[in-house]
Amino acid sequence: MRDTMIKNGDIVIGSSGNTVLLEGSDAKFQQAVLCISAKLGGFVYDRNFGSKVLLQDKTLSAKQTELLANESLAKMKNTYARVKSVGRQITIDLTVDDITREVQINGNL
């Protein structure tokens, strides 16, 4: 799997002026983070992309947030989230193909 690297919502451009590409597990992790952090229905080209995590009008419990995150990841094989904390930042242990990384996404602001 390959994907264009996205950082802080922008495509990353390398020193040569070309987009930076991610491959393998890095690309899969980026796709999973985008899937959790994007608001469901907010992507004009695919209204089924994203999650309900950031559509809530209040801060959910870690368990509720985890259920919504994993619902959005259901179509991604061998990928799941375990929410460690919620608030202004949501901290997640994200596992893709038996590799776990801690990631943070913006919570309710």
Side-chain angles (χ1 to χ4, degrees):
M1 169 184 250
R2 295 179 84 183
D3 197 8
T4 301
M5 180 185 245
I6 297 174
K7 187 171 186 178
N8 298 324
D10 293 319
I11 294 172
V12 176
I13 305 297
S15 59
S16 65
N18 296 323
T19 57
V20 176
L21 296 178
L22 297 175
E23 295 187 27
S25 64
D26 290 331
K28 289 179 183 179
F29 272 99
Q30 178 175 279
Q31 283 295 310
V33 169
L34 289 174
C35 191
I36 294 170
S37 60
K39 291 181 181 178
L40 181 64
F43 185 55
V44 70
Y45 299 108
D46 183 358
R47 296 291 184 189
N48 294 316
F49 181 80
S51 76
K52 298 176 187 173
V53 170
L54 299 182
L55 292 177
Q56 308 306 310
D57 59 356
K58 60 182 173 44
T59 300
L60 300 175
S61 71
K63 190 63 176 172
Q64 291 169 314
T65 303
E66 186 173 307
L67 288 171
L68 292 175
N70 282 310
E71 177 182 59
S72 71
L73 298 172
K75 292 182 180 177
M76 298 180 74
K77 288 186 174 186
N78 302 317
T79 303
Y80 62 92
R82 187 178 69 77
V83 175
K84 295 170 72 174
S85 66
V86 294
R88 293 181 69 80
Q89 291 282 318
I90 300 170
T91 304
I92 299 171
D93 277 343
L94 184 61
T95 302
V96 176
D97 295 333
D98 296 323
I99 301 168
T100 302
R101 296 181 187 171
E102 183 178 281
V103 298
Q104 291 186 334
I105 63 170
N106 290 327
N108 289 338
L109 303 175

